[in-house]
Every structure is written in C-alpha cells, then in structure tokens.
Amino acid sequence: MNDTDVEQKSWESQGIAIGLVSALALGALLYILYGHKPPVGDSGRLLFLPALNAACNAVTTFFILLGLYQIHRGYEREHRRSMLSAFASSSLFLIGYITYHFVHGDTHFPGQGWVRPVYFSILISHIVLSAVALPLVLATFYLALSGRYETHKKFARVTYPIWLYVSVTGVVIFFILRAYA
C-alpha cells in the first residue's frame, strides 16, 4: 500500500467519523425539538440563553470575516486563531441552543402578516443550511489541522459562505423573534 492509499483510507475513515458525529448531533437536536417534552414548571429558567446564543452567532460572524480577511492577506497563524475562535463560539452556541430547547421546547412565532413568510423563509433556510454546515465545518477543520491545505481551501470555499449565512441569520432570527414576542 502506498502513501496515497494510506492517506485516502485515513480521509475515508475521518469522513465516516465526521458523518457520524454530525448525524448524532442533528439527531439529538431533532429529538430535543420534536420528541422531547420539556419539564413542567421550568418556563422561567435559562431565559438569558437566546440572547447569549445570538451573541455567540455574532461573534462567530466576526471571526469568520476576520479569518477570511487574514487568509487573503497571508496571515496564516492569525487566520488559524480566528477560525478556532469561530469554531469555539459556534460550539458554545450549539450547547446553549440545545440546553435552552431541552428546557423550553420549540419557539413559536407569533407574528402575522407580511413578516410571517419572511421570517419562515429565513428560518427554513437557516435550519437547512445549519444541517449542511455542521459536517462541512468539521471536515474543513479536519483538513486544516491535518495539514491538507489544498483540499482544505476547496472545502473552505464552500463552507465559509454557508457558515457565515447561518451565523448571520441566527442573529436576524433572534431579533425578529424579540420584536414580535
């Protein structure tokens, strides 16, 4: 077996692991949102989390844009730090999001009129793309951290606009919900 075969097998096994982690995370999230009944009497707990989650999305947006700027200027070390920071703030968001919805269940949008289809079009695109973003982000990080920079660049060109859109629309969704709460 030559080096190319070993590298291909390694990438295949990592791809399977990334797929499994992504599927487990998305499955757990779907269960929490649609299969789990929140505990009774906890409606006042953790009400700060949606604002914290929106802040995490805003921080993620900042670090993605900063990382993009840095890599285009050739600041590889700074780019790495920015992207690790974006990953950390996205991870914190996911933990907060799961925790909040475990306690409170899903959030209903009370708005009526023209804002309702606008809100749901943003929300649906956000949800679909966040499911796509998770494995893409994990794969892009794996490629960078394993030194496969050419493949990382190809993945990053697809990953960053999706991840950026999900981060920005997460903040937009928060503010629309707050405006109509």
Side-chain angles (χ1 to χ4, degrees):
M1 199 179 265
N2 64 30
D3 287 344
T4 305
D5 292 338
V6 170
E7 187 173 308
Q8 181 63 30
K9 290 234 184 262
S10 172
W11 172 240
E12 288 171 5
S13 65
Q14 293 302 322
I16 291 168
I18 289 167
L20 286 173
V21 167
S22 299
L24 285 171
L26 293 172
L29 190 56
L30 287 173
Y31 169 74
I32 287 169
L33 289 175
Y34 302 110
H36 164 75
K37 296 220 183 274
V40 177
D42 285 335
S43 63
R45 291 178 51 201
L46 305 174
L47 292 177
F48 67 93
L49 279 177
L52 178 63
N53 293 339
C56 287
N57 273 323
V59 168
T60 299
T61 298
F62 170 77
F63 280 117
I64 291 170
L65 292 172
L66 181 60
L68 186 63
Y69 170 82
Q70 290 165 331
I71 201 62
H72 284 301
R73 297 291 184 269
Y75 306 139
E76 292 175 12
R77 183 178 303 140
E78 293 82 357
H79 167 76
R80 182 183 200 127
R81 281 190 215 123
S82 291
M83 299 319 294
L84 287 170
S85 297
F87 186 81
S89 60
S90 275
S91 298
L92 184 60
F93 159 80
L94 186 58
I95 292 166
Y97 184 84
I98 289 170
T99 302
Y100 178 79
H101 287 285
F102 186 82
V103 171
H104 290 276
D106 60 345
T107 303
H108 298 282
F109 181 64
Q112 297 297 321
W114 66 269
V115 73
R116 196 164 181 81
V118 170
Y119 170 78
F120 281 108
S121 65
I122 295 169
L123 179 64
I124 291 167
S125 65
H126 172 82
I127 291 168
V128 169
L129 289 174
S130 66
V132 171
L134 179 60
L136 283 174
V137 168
L138 293 174
T140 304
F141 267 83
Y142 168 74
L143 291 166
L145 295 173
S146 64
R148 297 185 178 124
Y149 299 117
E150 288 307 312
T151 309
H152 164 77
K153 284 186 214 177
K154 291 176 185 173
F155 267 70
R157 284 187 186 108
V158 174
T159 302
Y160 99 80
I162 294 171
W163 194 12
L164 184 61
Y165 179 84
V166 168
S167 298
V168 169
T169 55
V171 176
V172 170
I173 289 165
F174 169 78
F175 281 112
I176 292 173
L177 280 170
R178 285 292 176 235
Y180 287 89

Coordinates of all heavy atoms in Angstrom, one line a residue, residues 46-82:
L46 N -33.3 29.8 32.4 CA -32.4 30.0 31.3 C -32.9 30.9 30.2 O -32.6 30.8 29.0 CB -32.1 28.6 30.7 CG -31.6 27.5 31.6 CD1 -31.5 26.2 30.9 CD2 -30.2 28.0 32.2
L47 N -33.7 31.9 30.6 CA -34.3 32.8 29.6 C -33.2 33.7 29.0 O -33.5 34.4 28.0 CB -35.4 33.7 30.2 CG -36.6 32.9 30.6 CD1 -37.7 33.8 31.2 CD2 -37.2 32.2 29.3
F48 N -32.0 33.8 29.6 CA -30.9 34.5 29.0 C -30.2 33.9 27.8 O -29.5 34.5 27.1 CB -29.9 34.8 30.1 CG -29.1 33.5 30.5 CD1 -28.0 33.1 29.9 CD2 -29.7 32.7 31.5 CE1 -27.3 32.0 30.3 CE2 -29.0 31.6 31.9 CZ -27.9 31.2 31.3
L49 N -30.5 32.6 27.6 CA -29.8 31.8 26.6 C -30.0 32.3 25.2 O -29.1 32.3 24.4 CB -30.0 30.3 26.7 CG -29.2 29.6 27.8 CD1 -29.5 28.1 27.9 CD2 -27.7 29.8 27.5
P50 N -31.2 32.6 24.8 CA -31.4 33.1 23.4 C -30.5 34.3 23.1 O -29.9 34.4 22.0 CB -32.9 33.4 23.3 CG -33.5 32.5 24.2 CD -32.5 32.4 25.4
A51 N -30.4 35.3 24.0 CA -29.6 36.4 23.8 C -28.1 36.0 23.7 O -27.3 36.5 22.9 CB -29.8 37.5 24.9
L52 N -27.7 35.1 24.6 CA -26.3 34.6 24.6 C -26.0 33.9 23.3 O -25.0 34.0 22.7 CB -26.1 33.7 25.8 CG -24.7 33.1 25.9 CD1 -23.6 34.1 26.0 CD2 -24.6 32.1 27.0
N53 N -27.0 33.1 22.8 CA -26.8 32.4 21.6 C -26.7 33.3 20.4 O -25.9 33.1 19.5 CB -28.0 31.4 21.4 CG -28.0 30.3 22.4 OD1 -27.0 30.0 23.0 ND2 -29.2 29.7 22.5
A54 N -27.5 34.4 20.4 CA -27.4 35.4 19.3 C -26.0 36.1 19.4 O -25.4 36.3 18.4 CB -28.5 36.4 19.4
A55 N -25.5 36.3 20.6 CA -24.2 36.9 20.8 C -23.1 36.0 20.2 O -22.2 36.4 19.6 CB -23.9 37.3 22.2
C56 N -23.3 34.7 20.5 CA -22.3 33.7 20.0 C -22.3 33.7 18.5 O -21.3 33.6 17.9 CB -22.6 32.3 20.5 SG -22.2 32.1 22.3
N57 N -23.5 33.8 17.9 CA -23.6 33.8 16.4 C -22.9 35.1 15.9 O -22.2 35.1 14.9 CB -25.0 33.8 16.0 CG -25.5 32.4 15.8 OD1 -24.8 31.5 15.4 ND2 -26.8 32.1 16.1
A58 N -23.1 36.2 16.6 CA -22.5 37.5 16.1 C -21.0 37.4 16.2 O -20.2 37.8 15.3 CB -23.0 38.6 17.0
V59 N -20.5 36.8 17.3 CA -19.0 36.6 17.5 C -18.5 35.7 16.4 O -17.4 35.9 15.8 CB -18.7 36.1 18.9 CG1 -17.3 35.6 19.0 CG2 -19.0 37.1 19.9
T60 N -19.2 34.6 16.1 CA -18.8 33.7 15.1 C -18.7 34.4 13.7 O -17.7 34.3 13.0 CB -19.8 32.5 14.9 OG1 -19.8 31.8 16.2 CG2 -19.4 31.6 13.8
T61 N -19.7 35.3 13.4 CA -19.7 36.0 12.2 C -18.4 36.9 12.1 O -17.7 36.9 11.1 CB -21.0 36.9 12.1 OG1 -22.1 36.1 12.1 CG2 -20.9 37.8 10.9
F62 N -18.1 37.6 13.2 CA -17.0 38.4 13.3 C -15.7 37.6 13.0 O -14.9 38.0 12.2 CB -16.9 39.1 14.7 CG -15.5 39.8 14.9 CD1 -15.3 41.0 14.3 CD2 -14.5 39.2 15.6 CE1 -14.1 41.7 14.5 CE2 -13.3 39.8 15.8 CZ -13.1 41.1 15.2
F63 N -15.5 36.5 13.6 CA -14.3 35.7 13.5 C -14.2 35.1 12.1 O -13.1 34.9 11.6 CB -14.1 34.7 14.6 CG -13.6 35.3 15.9 CD1 -14.4 35.2 17.0 CD2 -12.4 35.9 15.9 CE1 -13.9 35.8 18.2 CE2 -11.9 36.4 17.0 CZ -12.6 36.4 18.2
I64 N -15.3 34.7 11.5 CA -15.3 34.2 10.1 C -14.8 35.2 9.2 O -13.9 35.0 8.3 CB -16.7 33.6 9.7 CG1 -17.0 32.4 10.5 CG2 -16.7 33.3 8.2 CD1 -18.5 31.9 10.3
L65 N -15.4 36.4 9.3 CA -15.0 37.6 8.4 C -13.5 38.0 8.7 O -12.8 38.2 7.7 CB -15.9 38.7 8.6 CG -17.3 38.5 8.1 CD1 -18.2 39.7 8.5 CD2 -17.3 38.3 6.6
L66 N -13.1 38.0 9.9 CA -11.7 38.3 10.3 C -10.8 37.2 9.7 O -9.8 37.6 9.1 CB -11.5 38.4 11.8 CG -10.1 38.8 12.3 CD1 -9.7 40.1 11.7 CD2 -10.1 38.8 13.8
G67 N -11.2 36.0 9.9 CA -10.3 34.9 9.3 C -10.2 35.0 7.8 O -9.2 34.7 7.2
L68 N -11.3 35.3 7.1 CA -11.3 35.5 5.7 C -10.3 36.6 5.3 O -9.5 36.4 4.4 CB -12.7 35.7 5.2 CG -12.9 35.8 3.7 CD1 -12.6 34.5 3.0 CD2 -14.3 36.2 3.4
Y69 N -10.4 37.7 6.0 CA -9.5 38.8 5.7 C -8.1 38.4 5.9 O -7.2 38.7 5.1 CB -9.9 40.0 6.6 CG -8.9 41.1 6.6 CD1 -8.9 42.1 5.6 CD2 -7.9 41.2 7.6 CE1 -7.9 43.1 5.6 CE2 -6.9 42.2 7.6 CZ -6.9 43.1 6.6 OH -6.0 44.1 6.6
Q70 N -7.8 37.7 7.0 CA -6.4 37.3 7.4 C -5.8 36.3 6.4 O -4.7 36.5 6.0 CB -6.4 36.7 8.8 CG -6.7 37.7 9.8 CD -7.0 37.1 11.2 OE1 -7.6 36.0 11.3 NE2 -6.7 37.9 12.3
I71 N -6.6 35.4 5.9 CA -6.0 34.4 5.0 C -5.8 35.1 3.6 O -4.8 34.7 2.9 CB -6.9 33.1 4.9 CG1 -6.1 32.0 4.3 CG2 -8.2 33.4 4.0 CD1 -4.9 31.6 5.2
H72 N -6.6 36.0 3.2 CA -6.4 36.7 2.0 C -5.2 37.6 2.0 O -4.6 38.0 1.0 CB -7.6 37.5 1.5 CG -8.7 36.7 1.0 ND1 -8.5 35.9 -0.1 CD2 -10.0 36.5 1.4 CE1 -9.6 35.2 -0.4 NE2 -10.5 35.6 0.5
R73 N -4.8 38.0 3.3 CA -3.6 38.8 3.4 C -2.3 38.0 3.7 O -1.2 38.5 3.9 CB -3.8 39.8 4.6 CG -4.9 40.8 4.4 CD -4.5 41.8 3.3 NE -5.5 42.9 3.1 CZ -6.5 42.8 2.3 NH1 -6.7 41.7 1.6 NH2 -7.3 43.8 2.2
G74 N -2.5 36.7 3.8 CA -1.4 35.8 4.1 C -1.0 35.6 5.5 O 0.0 35.0 5.9
Y75 N -1.9 36.0 6.4 CA -1.7 35.9 7.9 C -2.2 34.5 8.4 O -3.3 34.5 9.0 CB -2.3 37.0 8.7 CG -2.0 38.4 8.2 CD1 -2.9 39.4 8.1 CD2 -0.7 38.7 7.9 CE1 -2.6 40.7 7.7 CE2 -0.3 40.0 7.5 CZ -1.3 41.0 7.4 OH -1.0 42.3 7.0
E76 N -1.5 33.5 8.1 CA -2.0 32.1 8.3 C -2.1 31.8 9.8 O -3.1 31.2 10.2 CB -1.0 31.1 7.7 CG -1.1 31.1 6.2 CD -0.1 30.2 5.5 OE1 0.5 29.4 6.2 OE2 0.1 30.4 4.3
R77 N -1.2 32.2 10.6 CA -1.3 32.0 12.1 C -2.5 32.7 12.7 O -3.3 32.1 13.5 CB 0.0 32.4 12.8 CG 0.0 32.1 14.3 CD 1.2 32.4 15.0 NE 2.4 31.8 14.4 CZ 3.6 32.3 14.2 NH1 3.8 33.6 14.6 NH2 4.5 31.7 13.6
E78 N -2.7 33.9 12.3 CA -3.8 34.7 12.8 C -5.1 34.1 12.3 O -6.1 34.1 13.0 CB -3.7 36.2 12.4 CG -2.5 36.9 13.1 CD -1.2 36.7 12.4 OE1 -1.1 35.9 11.4 OE2 -0.2 37.3 12.8
H79 N -5.1 33.7 11.0 CA -6.3 33.1 10.4 C -6.7 31.8 11.2 O -7.9 31.6 11.6 CB -6.0 32.7 9.0 CG -7.0 31.7 8.4 ND1 -8.3 32.2 8.0 CD2 -7.0 30.4 8.1 CE1 -9.0 31.2 7.5 NE2 -8.2 30.1 7.6
R80 N -5.7 31.0 11.6 CA -6.0 29.8 12.4 C -6.6 30.2 13.7 O -7.6 29.5 14.1 CB -4.7 29.0 12.6 CG -4.8 27.8 13.3 CD -3.5 27.1 13.5 NE -3.6 25.7 13.8 CZ -3.0 24.7 13.2 NH1 -2.2 25.0 12.2 NH2 -3.3 23.5 13.5
R81 N -6.1 31.2 14.4 CA -6.7 31.6 15.7 C -8.1 32.1 15.5 O -9.0 31.8 16.3 CB -5.8 32.7 16.3 CG -4.6 32.2 17.0 CD -3.9 33.3 17.8 NE -2.5 33.1 17.7 CZ -1.6 34.0 17.3 NH1 -2.0 35.2 16.9 NH2 -0.3 33.7 17.2
S82 N -8.3 32.9 14.5 CA -9.7 33.4 14.2 C -10.7 32.3 13.9 O -11.8 32.3 14.5 CB -9.7 34.4 13.0 OG -9.0 35.5 13.4

